[in-house]
Structure formats: C-alpha cells, structure tokens
Amino acid sequence: MTSLDPVLDKDGVRLTVEDAVATVTLTNPAKRNAQSPALWRALTEAGRVLPGDVRVVVLRGEGKSFSAGLDRQAFTPEGFDGEPSFLDMARGPEAQLDATIAEYQEAFTWWRRNDLVSIATVQGHAIGAGFQLALACDLRIVAEDVQFAMRETSLGLVPDLTGTLPLVNLVGYARALEICATGRFVHAEEAERTGLANLVVPADQLDAAARDLAAALISAPRDAVVETKALLAGALSHDYEEQRTAERAAQGRRLRDLAGITD
C-alpha cells in the first residue's frame, strides 16, 4: 500500500501510510497538541485501522511542541462538549471510573505490538500525557529543545497512561521516582544520557532522522525483527535460564521457517 492520503483524520489525529511506514501526527499545534478523550479514542482507532503490511509507525506532533499533556479543560466543571467531566467521573461508581481509565489507556498500548516498531519524534514540550505517549513508543528521537516532564504528581494525581513501567525500565526506579515526584524538566542531554532518547538532533532534522531510522528498521526481514523484539521485551521479566530457553525456541522457529519447514 502506498498512499499519502489520510487513512484517518479526526479529533487532532491524522494517520497516513506509505508502503511499510505509517505516520501518526498530532494535529492541533494551536493548543500544543493537548490531549483529550476524543484524541485518545482517535489514537486507539489509528492502531486498529493500520494496514497489515505496516512495519514501522512514526509518531509526531505538529508545531513547536510534541504534546503539552492533558487539556486542562478536563478539570473544569463543564469538561469537554459531549464528554463527562473528570470531576463527574470521580463522583461516579469506582468500577465505571476504572473502566473509563482503561479505555483511555488503550490509546497508549498498541505502540509496542510485536509486529510493529514505533518511533516517537519529540520536540519542545512533552508534558504529562505527552511524556507518557512518547514513552509508549519503542524508540524516541528528540530535538535539542525537548522538555520532558511528568507533572501528574504535582497536580495531586499519578501517571496512569501506561508511562510508569517504560520510564522505570529506561532510567531506573530512583531516577523515575525523582522525575515524577518533582515534576522537573528532563532536557535533551539527560534524555540521551539516561536512555530516554535514542538520538538527539536539531528540530528541523527530526523528520529526516525518523525516515532514516525507519528505512534501517525495515531493511531486515520482518519475521526476524518481530521475533527479536519479542525476545528483548520478554527479557525484562525473564531470568537468565528462561531467556536462554526463549532464544532457543525463537531461533528454532526462524531456522525452520528459512528451511521451509512447517509444523
């Protein structure tokens, strides 16, 4: 499939596909790509409508900021048009609140599917939900002006959009706690040094760097990349012997496939 016509374009999210590379763009630069439940539903839909031959997904934000986080309108009594306000949700049944948050989280979960490699290109502010959306991706290319911050704790909340586990895995428990509890900014040099960023480039080179990385990722056979990604993800919870076993099983599958042997 080769097309630059949007596969999806709604509620601040645009999805385009060119061969094996899809691009998801946050399209509300006037509000620094602030996030809302409607945007989260659009992100979830983008993951569901991806063509099966897509191998790499690039996530980007239009304008000077990747995403300034949750739109503060969520905390007003009126909330968003056609949506329950967060204050009303808090007053409702606990099970319903849990189910609603789980629905919001779906926008952040599909980026790490084994059959995809996702790349976040991040410039300017990536605050709160914006930070967590960047963390949802496998890889991050950041601009020299990037400013990550996890501000939820400063607002009396907690990060709940799947960002805590990848943050701890990338920078360690102690640094993750300090970043979240203080709400301070993490700039490009620290992001690269601690593993939050794979690469730092000038802001005007973000898209080109993502294209280069995407091309490198799709140069290897798809099944080998899928198996390798699954192995590396599993290593986070395996002990040494479990990982050895997983490697043998994965390599066996690859060798049988290369030999044309089917089970």
Side-chain angles (χ1 to χ4, degrees):
M1 177 178 183
T2 301
S3 174
L4 292 180
D5 294 328
V7 177
L8 179 146
D9 194 354
K10 61 190 292 188
D11 296 322
V13 174
R14 182 172 63 244
L15 168 65
T16 56
V17 177
E18 186 173 10
D19 298 322
V21 180
T23 301
V24 176
T25 303
L26 307 181
T27 60
N28 191 4
K31 296 193 75 170
R32 295 191 299 167
N33 297 312
Q35 299 181 30
S36 67
L39 180 141
W40 293 334
R41 285 193 289 270
L43 285 175
T44 299
E45 184 177 348
R48 290 174 179 163
V49 301
L50 278 180
D53 55 353
V54 167
R55 296 182 54 186
V56 173
V57 182
V58 177
L59 171 64
R60 58 187 300 276
E62 289 183 346
K64 294 183 178 180
S65 292
F66 173 73
S67 174
L70 180 64
D71 191 321
R72 294 297 182 90
Q73 188 174 338
F75 295 104
T76 63
E78 61 273 14
F80 301 102
D81 290 342
E83 303 274 358
S85 74
F86 280 23
L87 297 177
D88 287 339
M89 286 165 45
R91 298 185 184 103
E94 186 174 344
Q96 183 177 335
L97 178 59
D98 183 80
T100 300
I101 295 173
E103 177 190 348
Y104 296 162
Q105 288 175 330
E106 291 181 11
F108 297 75
T109 58
W110 62 266
W111 305 89
R112 290 181 180 259
R113 282 167 32 186
N114 283 341
D115 62 322
L116 303 170
V117 178
S118 54
I119 307 167
T121 62
V122 189
Q123 79 282 6
H125 292 97
I127 310 297
F131 192 2
Q132 293 187 77
L133 187 56
L135 286 167
C137 292
D138 296 304
L139 309 172
R140 280 153 296 282
I141 302 173
V142 307
E144 293 170 335
D145 68 348
V146 75
Q147 298 182 65
F148 289 114
M150 202 73 83
R151 289 292 176 82
E152 285 84 350
T153 308
S154 304
L155 298 172
L157 302 169
V158 300
D160 66 336
L161 297 172
T162 79
T164 54
L165 179 61
L167 182 62
V168 171
N169 286 336
L170 288 166
V171 306
Y173 160 76
R175 189 180 296 271
L177 174 60
E178 179 248 333
I179 288 171
C180 292
T182 65
R184 70 172 177 84
F185 286 113
V186 177
H187 299 281
E189 185 279 330
E190 182 182 357
E192 186 173 37
R193 173 169 47 84
T194 59
L196 276 174
N198 297 85
L199 180 67
V200 176
V201 299
D204 61 0
Q205 296 179 23
L206 270 179
D207 289 339
R211 285 193 298 270
D212 289 345
L213 180 53
L217 289 166
I218 63 176
S219 65
R222 179 172 194 162
D223 289 344
V225 174
V226 170
E227 290 275 14
T228 299
K229 180 176 178 180
L231 269 177
L232 294 173
L236 297 172
S237 58
H238 288 168
D239 62 27
Y240 184 73
E241 290 302 321
E242 289 171 334
Q243 190 65 10
R244 286 181 63 206
T245 300
E247 289 175 1
R248 294 197 303 272
Q251 192 69 302
R253 287 190 294 271
R254 297 303 314 128
L255 290 171
R256 288 192 297 275
D257 183 65
L258 292 173
I261 300 171
T262 58
D263 296 329

